[in-house]
Structures are given as C-alpha cells and as structure tokens.
Amino acid sequence: MSPRSARLARLSRSVTFSACHRLHSKALSDEENLKLFGKCNNPNGHGHNYKVVVTVRGEATNPPCASLQIDPVSGMVMNLTDLKEYMQEAIMEPLDHKNLDKDVPYFSEVVSTTENMAVFIWDSLQKLLPQGILYKVEVHETEQNVVVYKGEETIVK
C-alpha cells in the first residue's frame, strides 16, 4: 500500500465506573488541604460516576509509530473485543466501586485527582496495549470536568 493511499484512523471506546475518594495531600496541613480542596476534602470522602474514553491509533509496527493505519486485511485500527478486555483489566478491575485512596495502592502516595487518575489509567494501559498504539485517555469526573492525558509531553521553557 503506498503512503498516499494509507488510511490513518483513531478509535475510541468508553467505560463508566463509580468510585469514591478524598482530595487530600500529605504534604499539606489539614487547614491547607481544606482551603485548597474545599468540600472535596471531606474526611469521609465523596463519590463520582466517572466516564473514561480511551483512544488508540492504527496498529503500531516496528519501529513503533512507523506505520499507524487501518489494517488493510481486517479493516480495523484494533479489534474492539481486545480493547474492551484491556480496558476491563486496566480500568474497571482496579477502580470500579473502590475507595481510590484506600483500595488502589497507587493513590496511597499520590493525590487522587482526576489528573492523576488519567496518568494511572494511561500507565496501566501502556503495560497491556501494543507499543505506540495508545493515543489519549480522557477522564470525565463530571459533565463539566474532563482531563485529557496523552502521555509524557515535553514542555519547552
């Protein structure tokens, strides 16, 4: 297939799960945490119905990212059944119906913000998916609050 006729695509799949957490940093005093996080610092925590959208891009080949395209044989970027299973393992099993701060070891040392949840999900998926295929993770904490994470990006200062 010539480069001119290659078709590049991105495929997204979403899942929803429920979890609770408390926004609280061990690096801050109780007063500072209350001032910074407000009602989200409630000692008993609070819950959300999260929506996570995972986007992958065409199948990666060796070297990684050399050819990201729709597979000419299957016509797919990735088999949706496989993506569903990866998301089950990386998102649903560790996070659904959990107290993030108490049940997920990652959040025992990291504040369970939506930003950090996006990083956790990215890292978990990276361990399962073929190298170079993960494009973006979106975590919707509410309809108004969404975090988008695309892995490590360089910030030029």
Side-chain angles (χ1 to χ4, degrees), residues 88-99:
Q88 176 68 27
E89 184 176 342
I91 301 167
M92 301 303 288
E93 290 174 13
L95 302 175
D96 189 31
H97 285 82
K98 300 289 175 40
N99 179 322

Side-chain angles (χ1 to χ4, degrees), residues 29 48 77 85-86 92-93 103 113 115 121 125 137 149:
S29 69
H48 296 282
V77 168
E85 290 173 6
Y86 292 136
M92 301 303 288
E93 290 174 13
D103 299 330
T113 60
E115 295 89 337
I121 293 169
L125 285 167
V137 170
Y149 186 70

Side-chain angles (χ1 to χ4, degrees), residues 66-84:
S67 174
L68 300 172
Q69 61 188 353
I70 299 170
D71 183 280
V73 175
S74 70
M76 297 185 288
V77 168
M78 178 180 196
N79 187 312
L80 276 171
T81 301
D82 294 341
L83 182 57
K84 178 182 177 183

Side-chain angles (χ1 to χ4, degrees), residues 130-149:
Q131 185 178 0
I133 199 169
L134 185 57
Y135 176 69
K136 141 176 105 167
V137 170
E138 292 178 39
V139 181
H140 300 244
E141 183 181 59
T142 68
E143 288 186 23
Q144 296 79 28
N145 301 334
V146 180
V147 170
V148 176
Y149 186 70

Side-chain angles (χ1 to χ4, degrees), residues 13-153:
R13 181 173 174 86
S14 65
V15 292
T16 57
F17 68 91
S18 299
C20 70
H21 68 143
R22 177 187 187 203
L23 294 182
H24 188 87
S25 172
K26 293 178 182 177
L28 301 173
S29 69
D30 287 344
E31 295 77 22
E32 291 169 319
N33 272 291
L34 184 58
K35 183 177 179 183
L36 179 62
F37 298 119
K39 66 181 181 177
C40 295
N41 182 247
N42 179 343
N44 295 316
H46 64 282
H48 296 282
N49 293 316
Y50 293 95
K51 176 181 174 183
V52 178
V53 181
V54 173
T55 302
V56 295
R57 53 190 175 183
E59 184 179 354
T61 60
N62 265 333
C65 301
S67 174
L68 300 172
Q69 61 188 353
I70 299 170
D71 183 280
V73 175
S74 70
M76 297 185 288
V77 168
M78 178 180 196
N79 187 312
L80 276 171
T81 301
D82 294 341
L83 182 57
K84 178 182 177 183
E85 290 173 6
Y86 292 136
M87 292 173 70
Q88 176 68 27
E89 184 176 342
I91 301 167
M92 301 303 288
E93 290 174 13
L95 302 175
D96 189 31
H97 285 82
K98 300 289 175 40
N99 179 322
L100 300 176
D101 307 311
K102 296 179 181 180
D103 299 330
V104 183
Y106 179 85
F107 293 111
S108 66
E109 298 301 320
V110 176
V111 180
S112 56
T113 60
T114 309
E115 295 89 337
N116 283 329
M117 186 179 305
V119 171
F120 171 82
I121 293 169
W122 175 278
D123 290 347
S124 298
L125 285 167
Q126 282 285 73
K127 294 173 186 172
L128 301 172
L129 289 166
Q131 185 178 0
I133 199 169
L134 185 57
Y135 176 69
K136 141 176 105 167
V137 170
E138 292 178 39
V139 181
H140 300 244
E141 183 181 59
T142 68
E143 288 186 23
Q144 296 79 28
N145 301 334
V146 180
V147 170
V148 176
Y149 186 70
K150 292 183 176 180
E152 296 298 323
E153 295 179 348

